[in-house]
Amino acid sequence: MSDLASPAAPGHRAVIIGGGLAAMLTAHVLSKVTDVLVIERDTLPTVPKARTGLPQARHTHVLWSGGADAIEALLPGTAKELDSAGARRIPLTTGMVALSPQGWYRRWPESHYAITCSRDLLDWVIRQRVLREAGTRITVMERTSVVGLTGSSSTVTGVATRREDTGEEDTLLADLVIDASGRASRTPQWLAALGVQASAVREVDSGLVYASRIYQAPDGLPEDWPIINVQANPRGNGPGQGGVITPLEGGRWLVTLHGTHGGQPTKEADEFQHFARKLRHPIIGELISKATPVSPVSVTHMTANRRHFYEKAALPDNLLTIGDSVASYNPTYGHGMSVIAQGAVILRNTIQRHGWNSPGLARHAQKAIAKPVNTAWTFATGTDVFYPGATGTGPTASERLAAAFVDRLSYTATGSGPTARALTDVMTLRKGPERLAWPDVLIRALVGPVKPPLDQPPLTAKERAAVDYN
Ligand SMILES: Cc1cc2nc3c(=O)[nH]c(=O)nc-3n(C[C@H](O)[C@H](O)[C@H](O)COP(=O)(O)OP(=O)(O)OC[C@H]3O[C@@H](n4cnc5c(N)ncnc54)[C@H](O)[C@@H]3O)c2cc1C
């Protein structure tokens, strides 16, 4: 056993599996009450840089205000640090040119916001901040994989580890083990090895493929250049295809194109612009023809909605799962990181309510963090069930009814500011889906849009002139 094998004193160490965003925000929360050991397979870069364990960082990552507010509540001043590092704070819907299945949204005055930058930068800013603030309370053990849980079907006592370079194996004890190892979490297998009955899992997979490429944006763009988004239509005649241009630090654009079964983009650079021009509107293809590609095309199939219902399972004591290890979502909705941040706030509140090391703490926290998971899950699967083959059975009657209502709201939002604001309340995860059943929303949905539909993208005259877009 290593010198880390025993906690300094009983009740004083948590072990976190993984060193990504969920791990860092959770480590921050736990460092207020205990020592924390973060075990990460990769080497974590000391500058904003790509790493093997975060392949999704090559693709668009938008942080909605629901998540950004939660990070700010945990780590005040992070938004400012991101801003100094080159991230953009984009007011919504002012800073978004978006084509919904029901038509172009208008650019209403700010009610919410999004933060855009590369995922490598976002993670780096948060990691530096968390580790700086925690001092010696958080230890990061890099190039080490967790390969199992120790304990019994009733209580987890620690983790089994293996060094990536030497293969050396070890057992590390902990009062609380947190799985933050992401989509590829091995917790189901590790629990089976302890004799724990499997938790229910649901998957809704539209076969979505993401293809992303970085461009140097054209010179002379206005500083408040918007996000450009052509959304897929889940209830159209063919596959769902869409795309987004997101401003990145360094005057760059991250361009992500996506398509479901039968309409997926490829990693061929020659086909990228062509695919973009064939979307429901060619604006993305037209704009990138004026920009300079500076990276190859990266492709991922890692996009299915998958949820483990751990909050309903009889998990052993002292085990908590968070982040993508609990649930991952179709990334076009951009909810994963916000759910993680809100989950970290909920964990903090749960510890405050029940007390650190109180009996059943992990179980209380697992149930509590299911709330933001539910919202994102309902949002994503409520749409994705309509793609052919996404589920074995197709949409249920209640899913069809809910979708018809959301379509009506989305149509109303194309010409009603208050309705657009209500939809954005939910999209940014600042409010739960119940917001859409408030009387003001229902009445506006009955009335429909009060302004006429837009027949072209709502770029301003200044924006059009900057890119010579007619
Ligand atoms: C293509 C794509 C685009 C996305 N876009 C958005 C977006 O726009 N907005 C948004 O909010 N979310 C988005 N997401 C979701 C977001 O990427 C995830 O929600 C988030 O990264 C999950 O964080 P995590 O810390 O739970 O897991 P991860 O980020 O996957 O981190 C897990 C970490 O654990 C480490 N690890 C794994 N196994 C072990 C082990 N056994 N031992 C030790 N270490 C281990 C890995 O190396 C990694 O560092 C997107 C996802 C994808 C796939």
Side-chain angles (χ1 to χ4, degrees), residues 17-23 39-42 44 51-54 56 59-63 119 123 144-147 180-184 186 190 210 300 302-303 322-325 329 331 333-338 340:
I17 310 169
L21 184 70
I39 305 176
E40 166 58 50
R41 181 178 291 155
D42 270 356
L44 296 174
R51 64 184 180 89
T52 320
L54 202 64
Q56 69 266 41
H59 304 276
T60 295
H61 271 76
V62 173
L63 178 64
R119 176 67 196 270
D123 275 27
T144 306
S145 285
V146 170
V147 292
S181 63
R183 252 173 212 260
R186 305 274 302 159
W190 297 338
Y210 252 43
T300 184
M302 209 171 63
T303 60
I322 54 160
D324 278 20
S325 68
Y329 322 89
Y333 309 109
H335 282 159
M337 300 188 298
S338 291
I340 285 169

Side-chain angles (χ1 to χ4, degrees), residues 134-149:
T136 54
R137 277 290 234 183
I138 301 178
T139 306
V140 182
M141 189 186 253
E142 294 169 288
R143 294 178 301 285
T144 306
S145 285
V146 170
V147 292
L149 298 171

Side-chain angles (χ1 to χ4, degrees), residues 68-91:
D69 290 350
I71 292 175
E72 207 56 27
L74 295 170
L75 299 160
T78 308
K80 221 177 205 168
E81 288 188 44
L82 282 164
D83 181 61
S84 309
R88 283 269 316 276
R89 180 193 183 283
I90 299 194

Side-chain angles (χ1 to χ4, degrees), residues 48-176:
K49 208 175 105 188
R51 64 184 180 89
T52 320
L54 202 64
Q56 69 266 41
R58 297 192 200 97
H59 304 276
T60 295
H61 271 76
V62 173
L63 178 64
W64 298 121
S65 37
D69 290 350
I71 292 175
E72 207 56 27
L74 295 170
L75 299 160
T78 308
K80 221 177 205 168
E81 288 188 44
L82 282 164
D83 181 61
S84 309
R88 283 269 316 276
R89 180 193 183 283
I90 299 194
L92 298 175
T93 58
T94 332
M96 196 175 233
V97 170
L99 178 64
S100 76
Q102 289 73 29
W104 291 103
Y105 286 134
R106 287 165 187 271
R107 297 170 68 177
W108 304 101
E110 172 172 351
S111 57
H112 300 282
Y113 65 96
I115 292 181
T116 69
C117 61
S118 68
R119 176 67 196 270
D120 294 328
L121 179 69
L122 183 77
D123 275 27
W124 176 78
V125 166
I126 290 172
R127 187 165 65 243
Q128 298 300 306
R129 173 70 199 276
V130 166
L131 297 181
R132 192 172 65 232
E133 197 168 309
T136 54
R137 277 290 234 183
I138 301 178
T139 306
V140 182
M141 189 186 253
E142 294 169 288
R143 294 178 301 285
T144 306
S145 285
V146 170
V147 292
L149 298 171
T150 59
S152 66
S153 59
S154 58
T155 310
V156 165
T157 55
V159 293
T161 61
R162 189 176 53 231
R163 297 279 311 170
E164 286 297 305
D165 37 13
T166 60
E168 187 191 339
E169 299 200 340
D170 212 340
T171 300
L172 305 178
L173 302 178
D175 310 292
L176 179 65

Side-chain angles (χ1 to χ4, degrees), residues 16-350:
I16 302 183
I17 310 169
L21 184 70
M24 285 302 149
L25 293 177
T26 306
H28 169 74
V29 167
L30 292 173
S31 69
K32 305 291 176 195
V33 291
T34 187
D35 286 340
V36 183
L37 176 62
V38 171
I39 305 176
E40 166 58 50
R41 181 178 291 155
D42 270 356
T43 301
L44 296 174
T46 52
V47 291
K49 208 175 105 188
R51 64 184 180 89
T52 320
L54 202 64
Q56 69 266 41
R58 297 192 200 97
H59 304 276
T60 295
H61 271 76
V62 173
L63 178 64
W64 298 121
S65 37
D69 290 350
I71 292 175
E72 207 56 27
L74 295 170
L75 299 160
T78 308
K80 221 177 205 168
E81 288 188 44
L82 282 164
D83 181 61
S84 309
R88 283 269 316 276
R89 180 193 183 283
I90 299 194
L92 298 175
T93 58
T94 332
M96 196 175 233
V97 170
L99 178 64
S100 76
Q102 289 73 29
W104 291 103
Y105 286 134
R106 287 165 187 271
R107 297 170 68 177
W108 304 101
E110 172 172 351
S111 57
H112 300 282
Y113 65 96
I115 292 181
T116 69
C117 61
S118 68
R119 176 67 196 270
D120 294 328
L121 179 69
L122 183 77
D123 275 27
W124 176 78
V125 166
I126 290 172
R127 187 165 65 243
Q128 298 300 306
R129 173 70 199 276
V130 166
L131 297 181
R132 192 172 65 232
E133 197 168 309
T136 54
R137 277 290 234 183
I138 301 178
T139 306
V140 182
M141 189 186 253
E142 294 169 288
R143 294 178 301 285
T144 306
S145 285
V146 170
V147 292
L149 298 171
T150 59
S152 66
S153 59
S154 58
T155 310
V156 165
T157 55
V159 293
T161 61
R162 189 176 53 231
R163 297 279 311 170
E164 286 297 305
D165 37 13
T166 60
E168 187 191 339
E169 299 200 340
D170 212 340
T171 300
L172 305 178
L173 302 178
D175 310 292
L176 179 65
V177 173
I178 295 106
D179 180 11
S181 63
R183 252 173 212 260
S185 159
R186 305 274 302 159
T187 285
Q189 290 81 353
W190 297 338
L191 286 175
L194 292 181
V196 179
Q197 206 184 343
S199 315
V201 187
R202 188 174 182 216
E203 184 166 296
V204 177
D205 184 2
S206 63
L208 184 80
V209 170
Y210 252 43
S212 299
R213 193 171 200 195
I214 298 177
Y215 285 74
Q216 196 60 45
D219 287 339
L221 286 190
E223 273 191 6
D224 54 356
W225 180 262
I227 295 175
I228 311 286
N229 182 16
V230 176
Q231 297 175 2
N233 183 1
R235 288 175 286 285
N237 288 328
Q241 293 181 317
V244 60
I245 303 180
T246 319
L248 290 189
E249 65 276 12
R252 296 172 302 158
W253 283 347
L254 179 47
V255 183
T256 289
L257 307 177
H258 48 85
T260 57
H261 284 304
Q264 299 157 327
T266 70
K267 65 176 176 36
E268 298 306 323
D270 291 348
E271 291 173 17
F272 196 78
Q273 206 186 112
H274 179 70
F275 187 99
R277 282 182 184 270
K278 294 281 174 206
L279 296 178
R280 295 176 47 243
H281 189 280
I283 183 169
I284 293 179
E286 290 163 355
L287 289 173
I288 62 179
S289 71
K290 298 164 194 290
T292 313
V294 293
S295 82
V297 179
S298 297
V299 164
T300 184
H301 293 69
M302 209 171 63
T303 60
N305 301 287
R306 185 180 306 117
R307 178 170 180 188
H308 299 269
F309 290 84
Y310 289 130
E311 75 279 8
K312 295 184 178 158
L315 291 191
D317 284 344
N318 304 338
L319 174 69
L320 175 64
T321 62
I322 54 160
D324 278 20
S325 68
V326 178
S328 48
Y329 322 89
N330 172 337
T332 55
Y333 309 109
H335 282 159
M337 300 188 298
S338 291
V339 172
I340 285 169
Q342 293 182 344
V345 172
I346 290 172
L347 174 62
R348 181 190 67 180
N349 297 345
T350 308

